[in-house]
């Protein structure tokens, strides 16, 4: 089976063509600057050279047409015709409380995605543009929506209701939704496989640490809490997002700096996090380099990140009454041994003991880096959200 996975942004479109049964990638690519000057499609067929195609892309419709052309091209294509694509899986950021799992796209699903525009004003409309463009380009092809928020729908009320007047939950659906759900689900399933255990018997804390970072408490295979909230701004500080702060800082800074709602939103989303604290970079490689040269604020940003992740992880272990394994994933989790070690440092009395030798230098591969006498297993499991989307799409299409 061949599944095309689409992740549409407002001016970009990422795609992968995968065989979910074998878990193999046939091609991947990215359309950038859709609707802008200088649009470009970077297409990487597996086992062949990457090609860069510069052609007009005035909208997502044209971008999809170019992607299909690239996939079926005689030289750099990987399939003979579009008919070889069995179905399309779309990443959709937010489905509010409508769905707890992936669904076949029909008019009702599209209405739910539209109804959630206020919850995700940047991403959901862009995801919808991708869906509509694919529907036009491939009429009749089954399409599946895989939602970032769906995995977190199993959270109990006490984990998703905020201490605000309840009427705002009823009126505007202000509650915790979480994000990165596809990744948390992928690595929690992978952890069960890796440990040779039934997911029902496991209490896991999954740490998706990348440019955006979130943690999830996963008990019995379902999410019981997560650190991103109504928006992806909460949790530990991130690349450029501030994470959890005293909410009263918001009106204070607005009045001191003369900022409107958009202005403070920009400060908290784009100018904060490890970038805002360090003044150096949002990239942990740059921070480690600057810190090694004695830059105090770069070191402070790294310390803040590890400390905040550790505290949230601790709260989830308490919430679940214990933990069998901690899973590191995404850019930082998979690659940054120093940050992984800093997060686990000093937890030996709680049964969390990392083998620092095993952890050192480990990048992007499945591994158990816990010490033999650690009660809690510490795993590194690279995430693969596209493969999860392709698997969900296959499962739904197989039932049609
Ligand atoms: P992601 O959002 O999952 O793609 O993660 C991207 C982030 O991972 C980058 O901004 C870096 O901070 C971090 N990262 C990627 N590779 C490394 C590495 N080798 N060492 C440390 N951090 C890394």
């Amino acid at each position: 089976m061949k599944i095309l996975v689409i992740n549409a942004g407002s001016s970009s479109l990422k795609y992968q063509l995968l065989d979910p049964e074998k878990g193999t990638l046939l091609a991947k690519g990215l359309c950038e600057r859709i609707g802008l000057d200088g649009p470009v499609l970077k297409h990487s067929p597996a086992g062949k050279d990457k090609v860069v195609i510069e052609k007009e892309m005035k909208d997502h419709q044209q971008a999809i047409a170019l992607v299909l052309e690239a996939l079926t091209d005689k030289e750099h294509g990987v399939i003979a015709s579009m008919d070889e694509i069995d179905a399309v899986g779309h990443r959709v950021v937010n489905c509010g409380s409508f769905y707890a799992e992936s669904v076949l796209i029909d008019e009702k699903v599209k209405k739910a995605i539209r109804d959630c525009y206020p919850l995700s004003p940047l991403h959901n409309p862009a995801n919808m543009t991708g869906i509509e463009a694919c529907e036009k380009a491939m009429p009749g092809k089954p399409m599946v929506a895989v939602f970032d928020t769906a995995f977190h729908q199993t959270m109990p009320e006490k984990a998703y209701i905020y201490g605000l007047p309840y009427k705002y939950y009823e009126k505007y659906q202000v509650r915790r939704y979480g994000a990165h759900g596809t990744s948390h689900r992928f690595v929690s399933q992978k952890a069960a496989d890796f440990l040779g255990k039934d997911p029902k018997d496991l209490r896991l804390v999954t740490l998706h640490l990348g440019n955006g970072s979130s943690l999830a408490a996963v008990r019995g295979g379902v999410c019981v809490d997560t650190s991103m909230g109504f928006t992806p701004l909460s949790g530990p500080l991130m690349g450029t997002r501030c994470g959890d702060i005293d909410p009263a800082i918001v009106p204070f800074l607005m009045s001191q700096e003369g900022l409107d709602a958009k202005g403070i939103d920009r400060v908290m989303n784009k100018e904060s996090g490890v970038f805002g604290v360090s003044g150096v970079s949002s990239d942990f490689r740059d921070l480690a380099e600057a810190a090694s040269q004695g830059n105090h604020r770069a070191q402070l940003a790294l310390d803040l990140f590890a400390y905040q992740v550790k505290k949230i992880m601790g709260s989830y272990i308490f919430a679940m009454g214990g933990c069998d394994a901690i899973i590191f994933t995404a850019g930082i989790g998979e690659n940054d041994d120093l940050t992984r070690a800093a997060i686990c440092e000093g937890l030996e009395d709680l049964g969390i003991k990392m083998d620092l030798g095993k952890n050192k230098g480990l990048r992007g591969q499945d591994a158990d880096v816990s010490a033999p006498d650690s009660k809690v297993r510490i795993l590194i499991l690279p995430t693969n959200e596209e493969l999860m989307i392709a698997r969900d799409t296959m499962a739904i299409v197989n039932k049609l």
Side-chain angles (χ1 to χ4, degrees):
M1 188 171 263
K2 294 186 181 91
I3 305 288
L4 180 62
V5 173
I6 298 287
N7 181 356
S10 56
S11 64
S12 69
L13 187 143
K14 284 190 206 152
Y15 63 94
Q16 288 197 5
L17 186 68
L18 294 140
D19 179 337
E21 283 155 322
K22 296 188 189 127
T24 47
L25 176 70
L26 303 163
K28 66 174 181 179
L30 167 67
C31 301
E32 289 175 299
R33 303 190 57 79
I34 301 169
L36 303 169
D37 286 344
V40 59
L41 162 56
K42 294 171 186 160
H43 175 70
S44 306
K48 295 185 198 169
D49 288 340
K50 177 172 165 179
V51 282
V52 176
I53 299 156
E54 287 173 22
K55 276 193 187 169
E56 190 187 21
M57 276 183 250
K58 61 177 190 307
D59 54 25
H60 285 69
Q61 188 72 51
Q62 270 190 334
I64 277 288
L66 285 181
V67 169
L68 293 172
E69 243 178 71
L71 288 170
T72 52
D73 185 86
K74 281 211 168 57
E75 272 167 30
H76 50 258
V78 291
I79 48 175
S81 87
M82 213 167 76
D83 297 341
E84 284 187 47
I85 301 172
D86 293 283
V88 184
H90 290 271
R91 176 193 182 214
V92 179
V93 165
N94 201 319
C95 67
S97 303
F98 286 107
Y99 299 105
E101 52 194 23
S102 304
V103 285
L104 187 72
I105 297 174
D106 58 13
E107 288 310 312
K108 193 170 140 243
V109 172
K110 288 204 288 192
K111 181 176 181 313
I113 296 171
R114 283 195 201 97
D115 285 348
C116 292
Y117 281 4
L119 300 178
S120 190
L122 294 179
H123 293 105
N124 267 34
N127 301 154
M128 182 57 91
T129 311
I131 292 170
E132 286 174 337
C134 285
E135 283 177 338
K136 283 195 192 131
M138 294 172 267
K141 194 81 74 188
M143 310 256 170
V144 167
V146 179
F147 306 103
D148 271 12
T149 50
F151 184 57
H152 305 304
Q153 278 297 304
T154 47
M155 281 188 288
E157 254 183 331
K158 64 184 176 192
Y160 70 72
I161 293 290
Y162 288 117
L164 287 166
Y166 196 77
K167 64 181 177 193
Y168 297 134
Y169 167 59
E170 294 176 312
K171 223 167 146 184
Y172 307 118
Q173 294 77 52
V174 175
R175 52 157 284 180
R176 182 186 302 280
Y177 291 105
H180 295 145
T182 310
S183 174
H184 288 291
R185 183 159 57 102
F186 181 83
V187 296
S188 56
Q189 289 176 3
K190 198 162 155 187
D193 289 345
F194 189 93
L195 297 169
K197 292 253 171 78
D198 189 324
K200 289 207 164 46
D201 300 328
L202 287 172
R203 292 164 302 181
L204 309 170
V205 182
T206 50
L207 285 72
H208 178 110
L209 309 179
N211 202 25
S213 292
S214 68
L215 291 81
V218 182
R219 183 172 54 205
V222 299
C223 175
V224 292
D225 208 344
T226 195
S227 61
M228 283 182 170
F230 181 63
T231 74
L233 196 52
S234 67
L237 82 166
M238 309 177 204
T240 60
R241 295 187 194 128
C242 61
D244 296 333
I245 58 169
D246 178 345
I249 294 169
V250 175
F252 174 80
L253 282 183
M254 286 174 84
S255 97
Q256 294 292 323
E257 293 277 311
L259 293 165
D260 60 7
K262 261 198 172 147
I264 191 73
D265 207 52
R266 189 192 61 245
V267 169
M268 293 190 297
N269 275 291
K270 305 267 182 224
E271 298 170 12
S272 299
V274 292
F275 167 74
V277 172
S278 68
V280 172
S281 171
S282 62
D283 193 303
F284 277 51
R285 288 162 288 201
D286 301 336
L287 293 174
E289 171 72 21
S292 73
Q293 288 167 9
N295 185 315
H296 168 69
R297 275 170 48 193
Q299 186 59 54
L300 176 64
L302 291 169
D303 292 346
L304 275 173
F305 183 78
Y307 183 61
Q308 294 187 5
V309 170
K310 186 195 299 241
K311 284 203 297 184
I312 297 169
M313 181 170 87
S315 71
Y316 290 169
I317 296 174
F318 256 61
M320 293 190 291
C323 177
D324 301 295
I326 292 163
I327 324 297
F328 284 99
T329 198
I332 299 162
E334 291 166 25
N335 298 300
D336 188 344
D337 53 353
L338 292 176
T339 297
R340 286 193 302 256
I343 291 167
C344 292
E345 191 192 353
L347 303 179
E348 295 78 10
D349 280 358
L350 298 167
I352 301 167
K353 196 167 169 191
M354 181 178 264
D355 182 325
L356 294 173
K358 275 193 208 156
N359 175 59
K360 196 170 161 48
L362 217 77
R363 293 221 163 89
Q365 64 191 78
D366 294 358
D368 182 339
V369 293
S370 37
D373 56 341
S374 179
K375 240 171 73 189
V376 177
R377 306 287 289 273
I378 305 167
L379 308 180
I380 302 167
L381 298 174
T383 192
N384 191 339
E385 288 159 284
E386 290 78 13
L387 181 57
M388 191 84 249
I389 294 173
R391 282 185 189 157
D392 279 10
T393 305
M394 175 176 70
I396 287 173
V397 167
N398 278 344
K399 282 193 218 138
L400 292 178

